Amino acid sequence: MPGLRREAGYEAITLWTNDVLGSARRLYERHGFRLTAEDRHHSFGHDLVGQTWRRSLRRSITAGAVPPR
């Protein structure tokens, strides 16, 4: 994702969405986020499954690569 500043000391980015928002989930995956948790909840008048997505900002130790953009 453009504009991320590892130099600022951030180690990861965490995002939250609901499982019914397929476009958001595909966007997160395309930018290197991984699903880390799911929790059922009732919001907006519906029973939903909230999802937590995380992307590390650390460089890979083995490959020395920057996470995908």
Side-chain angles (χ1 to χ4, degrees), residues 25-69:
R25 293 188 345 257
R26 286 187 296 277
L27 180 69
Y28 298 162
E29 286 180 315
R30 188 167 51 237
H31 287 282
F33 287 84
R34 298 291 171 249
L35 181 63
T36 60
E38 292 188 305
D39 296 296
R40 295 186 182 283
H41 64 101
H42 186 83
S43 297
F44 313 108
H46 299 278
D47 291 326
L48 299 168
V49 178
Q51 295 182 327
T52 302
W53 292 78
R54 189 172 195 273
R55 177 184 170 195
S56 174
L57 295 177
R58 292 184 174 189
R59 293 182 182 269
S60 170
I61 294 172
T62 57
V66 175
R69 288 186 185 221

Side-chain angles (χ1 to χ4, degrees), residues 5-7 9-13 17 23 26 28 32 62 67-68:
R5 299 284 181 216
R6 290 171 186 84
E7 302 84 27
Y10 294 104
E11 295 183 7
I13 297 174
T17 192
S23 295
R26 286 187 296 277
Y28 298 162
T62 57

